[in-house]
Amino acid sequence: MCGIVGIIGREQVAPLLVDALKRLEYRGYDSAGVATLNKGVLDRRRAEGKLVNLDNLLKEQPLSGTIGIGHTRWATHGAPTVRNAHPHTTPRLAVIHNGIIENFAELRSMLEKDGYVFETETDTETVAHLVTRALDRGLSPVEAVRQSLPELRGAFAIAIMFKGEEDLLIAARNGPPLAVGYGDGEMYLGSDAIALAPFTDTLSYLEDGDWAVLTRNSVAIYDESGMAVKRRIEKSAGTAFLVSKGNRRHFMEKEIHEQPEVISHTLANYLDFSKGTIRTDAVPVDFAKIDRIAASACGTAYYAGLIGKYWFEQIARLPVDIDVASEFRYREMPLSKDSLALFVSQSGETADTLASLRYCKQQGLKIGSVVNVKESTMARESDSIFPTLAGPEVGVASTKAFTCQLATLASLAVTAGKMRGTISADDERRLVHELSEIPRYATQALKLEQQMEAISRDLSQVKHALYLGRGTSFPLALEGALKLKEISYIHAEGYAAGELKHGPIALIDEHMPVIVIAPYDRWFEKTVSNMQEVAARGGKIILITDSRGAAASTLKTMHTVILPDMPEIITPIIYALPIQMLAYYTAVFMGTDVDQPRNLAKSVTVE
Ligand code: M6R
């Protein structure tokens, strides 16, 4: 989604703004722009497409000034054109915005009646004219913003710079995240800590309803009612993160290869490897007092939650209801106060998941979140955080965050089993040992890379693909299909293998590749029957299994991928790796933008 940066500094800010925007590229965008103020002149440059276009434009037509704002836009209202790109300006100010102004049509017609002329189709331009109208009525910039904010409905993070005010930036947040960065005689605004990492590691996160007035030497924050408030000043770990692909072609490739390491960091947070026990001190929830989990999440995080459901129910005998957050938040499900509301999110900012969290909070439930970004809104609004230690994930297609979510959920399920007395001390030791082996198996799985690349060459020739699995391999089939479609644009669907005969089998012919995820587990034989149904209709099978599975299946496959034999609990985590590599290399063969696929955003902060 859109990225915001603002700097009141001492140096020329235009290159710094572009640098900060590059660090926000991972969020997804389709146009970008910057504006600066210099000796009374407010000027801007905007470009469609990638930041390199804005960079080139700035080389041809540089912008001067030590105060400025910058923006990457992910189009919601109006096409991704230069005209609709931010910053939006009036003769008196420039504004950037992330989110949606829901009452923009109403505001626009009111402002047009007052004589304000709109140049774009964006909702953001209403903010520019609304505040300008207040200035035209004689209010100071601070008063103009104070009086305009209550008129805006929706989710927004905004930053405004005013002509004639070279030591003033005003920001507001109601929904999408916005951080204030503190420097020495310099102040910053950013959508996240990563954007500001080269400038400062000292940040305050605005809360919903907050607005902030920044000068080079001061920051004042006010809440919705206009009361001055203090927000915690934190040291961010974001500075440790350098946006670099290392020696890899894409962030996604790098992130796939980081998995053995980051999964082991994540597991170490929950498991005591030396004692062979779980670390109950890492889990601030008494699962023995919980009768149900109400979980929700979006996209890949939802599929991680679906796999978690199998583990919680089997290991801890704890029922889990799981929904996609965009449905959960509106379906008014009856919730028991003895339930734990559990949210899974890499970013911790996904609008639908956050809204579901807040809904559950209103209902009086205890809130737990599996999140990767510790400073995120979800992390801050949860009673308990179950961190994933995947590190910053830049590729839009989630890989390492997914497997770290799984590692966390598996560890939590074992913890819950221990607390609820559904597993013995021996079971605990065995399960902890099995989980501790994930990094080793993941390293072995990565050795399949060349084979996955070769299979991807074939897959890149097709228009459609099906993924099948049973048990925990079913949500993995859904994830495999999502991964393929989001980065290669090949149409793919995932199904529970047993559902094949209830409809999707009609799609099978000699042009349809079917990726079957089938470790030799308790579901294997049933899955083989479904594979037989595919083979009988000429479908091309790509079987992902282990040596026992390969030996047990006599069916002709187009490709068979053989993973090591491994304990059942870890199969969805390890089998995720060839699935990710398959999507990755297919996209590489297709020549798509792997890290920033079209139309997608890393952090989806609108409904
Ligand atoms: O940040 P979140 O985990 O809440 O994001 C949820 C989804 O938007 C995300 O997983 C999305 O589906 C990814 N593009 C999948 O690769």
Side-chain angles (χ1 to χ4, degrees):
M1 297 275 119
C2 307
I4 285 184
V5 281
I7 303 177
I8 328 182
R10 291 182 292 206
E11 297 168 43
Q12 291 298 312
V13 288
L16 304 178
L17 289 167
V18 175
D19 181 49
L21 290 177
K22 284 183 184 156
R23 301 170 77 86
L24 290 174
E25 269 195 305
Y26 74 95
R27 297 165 71 90
Y29 68 104
D30 31 45
S31 59
V34 294
T36 59
L37 262 178
N38 189 36
K39 300 186 186 124
V41 179
L42 194 168
D43 209 351
R44 65 180 167 173
R45 303 284 179 267
R46 298 173 298 163
E48 266 181 47
K50 295 291 171 194
L51 276 169
V52 64
N53 301 339
L54 179 65
D55 231 352
N56 289 339
L57 180 66
L58 281 163
K59 279 188 193 119
E60 286 163 25
Q61 301 168 35
L63 278 181
S64 301
T66 56
I67 171 171
I69 51 180
H71 188 264
T72 44
R73 173 172 187 251
W74 187 81
T76 56
H77 296 59
T81 56
V82 171
R83 200 161 55 105
N84 287 332
H86 301 207
H88 290 291
T89 55
T90 70
R92 308 198 62 163
L93 56 79
V95 63
I96 51 179
H97 159 229
N98 174 17
I100 292 177
I101 306 296
E102 285 171 5
N103 58 336
F104 86 101
E106 209 177 288
L107 289 172
R108 181 172 175 141
S109 74
M110 176 189 82
L111 288 158
E112 281 174 338
K113 277 192 201 119
D114 285 351
Y116 292 90
V117 179
F118 282 72
E119 289 175 359
T120 74
E121 298 107 62
T122 65
D123 51 342
T124 309
E125 204 185 347
T126 55
V127 181
H129 288 299
L130 189 68
V131 179
T132 298
R133 186 179 67 166
L135 293 170
D136 290 345
R137 289 176 174 172
L139 297 180
S140 67
V142 172
E143 267 315 304
V145 173
R146 187 199 298 274
Q147 294 197 16
S148 301
L149 285 175
E151 297 194 48
L152 300 177
R153 226 175 39 232
F156 53 81
I158 53 178
I160 315 179
M161 190 172 70
F162 299 85
K163 192 167 175 192
E165 301 281 351
E166 298 202 8
D167 193 22
L168 179 68
L169 269 182
I170 301 185
R173 179 206 172 172
N174 189 35
L178 194 56
V180 174
Y182 296 81
D184 184 10
E186 302 179 314
M187 297 292 171
Y188 310 93
L189 288 169
S191 290
D192 63 27
I194 294 172
L196 302 184
F199 315 125
T200 182
D201 64 352
T202 310
L203 305 171
S204 284
Y205 289 89
L206 298 186
E207 293 187 5
D208 275 349
D210 282 358
W211 55 287
V213 179
L214 280 68
T215 69
R216 283 182 178 75
N217 291 305
S218 69
V219 174
I221 303 179
Y222 304 91
D223 69 9
E224 209 164 2
S225 71
M227 288 281 290
V229 286
K230 293 233 174 302
R231 298 294 175 218
R232 204 151 57 89
I233 298 179
E234 306 174 17
K235 284 279 176 200
S236 157
T239 39
F241 170 57
L242 283 175
V243 183
S244 152
K245 299 182 196 116
N247 56 354
R248 304 279 178 191
R249 264 179 299 178
H250 299 100
F251 280 105
M252 184 179 177
E253 185 191 9
K254 174 173 168 257
E255 287 158 4
I256 288 173
H257 283 268
E258 283 172 355
Q259 290 178 103
E261 192 187 351
V262 294
I263 294 172
S264 82
H265 292 165
T266 302
L267 289 170
N269 190 51
Y270 298 98
L271 311 175
D272 186 329
F273 297 129
S274 55
K275 292 194 189 125
T277 57
I278 48 124
R279 290 184 40 199
T280 23
D281 58 323
V283 179
V285 166
D286 186 351
F287 282 102
K289 296 208 173 107
I290 286 166
D291 63 7
R292 214 170 182 87
I293 292 178
S296 53
C298 299
T300 289
Y302 168 68
Y303 299 141
L306 261 182
I307 293 173
K309 172 182 168 74
Y310 284 77
W311 286 328
F312 275 108
E313 293 184 345
Q314 281 162 16
I315 300 169
R317 311 307 298 156
L318 183 55
V320 177
D321 297 308
I322 174 150
D323 283 63
V324 285
S326 52
E327 289 300 314
F328 177 88
R329 62 183 291 192
Y330 295 117
R331 85 179 170 91
E332 295 175 17
M333 165 188 177
L335 293 164
S336 135
K337 292 259 186 319
D338 296 325
S339 293
L340 171 72
L342 185 67
F343 303 91
V344 186
S345 175
Q346 187 286 127
S347 61
E349 302 293 349
T350 301
D352 285 316
T353 313
L354 185 58
S356 302
L357 183 156
R358 288 175 176 163
Y359 172 77
C360 289
K361 215 168 185 176
Q362 268 171 10
Q363 306 295 309
L365 269 71
K366 285 267 169 277
I367 310 292
S369 292
V370 175
V371 282
N372 196 41
V373 181
K374 277 196 199 146
E375 300 93 351
S376 62
T377 310
M378 275 181 224
R380 281 179 283 125
E381 295 191 11
S382 296
D383 300 304
S384 313
I385 308 169
F386 309 115
T388 53
L389 304 178
E393 190 179 63
V394 176
V396 162
S398 187
T399 52
K400 61 176 183 168
F402 173 65
T403 48
C404 286
Q405 285 160 353
L406 292 179
T408 302
L409 290 165
S411 304
L412 290 177
V414 178
T415 308
K418 179 176 182 165
M419 289 177 175
R420 295 165 66 81
T422 56
I423 58 170
S424 66
D426 279 351
D427 292 333
E428 179 187 355
R429 255 190 304 281
R430 175 181 52 80
L431 288 164
V432 168
H433 174 70
E434 290 175 355
L435 293 175
S436 74
E437 292 191 308
I438 297 172
R440 180 168 64 81
Y441 283 112
T443 307
Q444 290 180 33
L446 289 173
K447 296 202 173 117
L448 295 168
E449 191 164 17
Q450 275 186 353
Q451 187 187 6
M452 299 322 292
E453 185 176 1
I455 301 173
S456 302
R457 193 182 290 277
D458 289 344
L459 202 58
S460 65
Q461 305 300 315
V462 307
K463 292 215 159 24
H464 309 276
L466 288 182
Y467 285 71
L468 300 180
R470 279 179 185 257
T472 50
S473 299
F474 158 50
L476 192 58
L478 299 174
E479 167 63 4
L482 176 70
K483 214 86 303 169
L484 187 71
K485 65 187 143 193
E486 68 180 336
I487 58 171
S488 74
Y489 317 146
I490 292 173
H491 172 230
E493 299 299 334
Y495 283 98
E499 275 293 292
L500 186 70
K501 54 193 168 296
H502 298 290
I505 199 163
L507 298 170
I508 308 282
D509 62 15
E510 63 282 10
H511 303 295
M512 179 65 88
V514 182
I515 295 112
V516 182
I517 306 166
Y520 191 75
D521 55 16
R522 63 185 119 147
W523 298 284
F524 182 78
E525 277 180 20
K526 304 273 178 212
T527 310
V528 168
S529 311
N530 304 127
M531 261 166 51
Q532 235 136 15
E533 294 155 10
V534 172
R537 286 157 184 88
K540 295 197 172 94
I541 296 168
I542 299 171
L543 173 63
I544 306 180
T545 185
D546 49 33
S547 59
R548 288 173 296 170
S553 154
T554 50
L555 285 175
K556 189 170 172 311
T557 60
M558 181 164 76
H559 297 284
T560 301
V561 178
I562 301 181
L563 283 150
D565 298 343
M566 66 190 79
E568 185 178 302
I569 186 172
I570 69 172
T571 55
I573 304 179
I574 307 302
Y575 279 60
L577 273 61
I579 291 295
Q580 294 165 352
M581 290 190 281
L582 194 64
Y584 171 73
Y585 280 106
T586 305
V588 170
F589 283 121
M590 303 287 287
T592 57
D593 187 344
V594 172
D595 284 332
Q596 288 157 30
R598 68 184 182 201
N599 306 337
L600 291 179
K602 182 68 184 162
S603 173
V604 182
T605 50
V606 295
E607 243 189 270

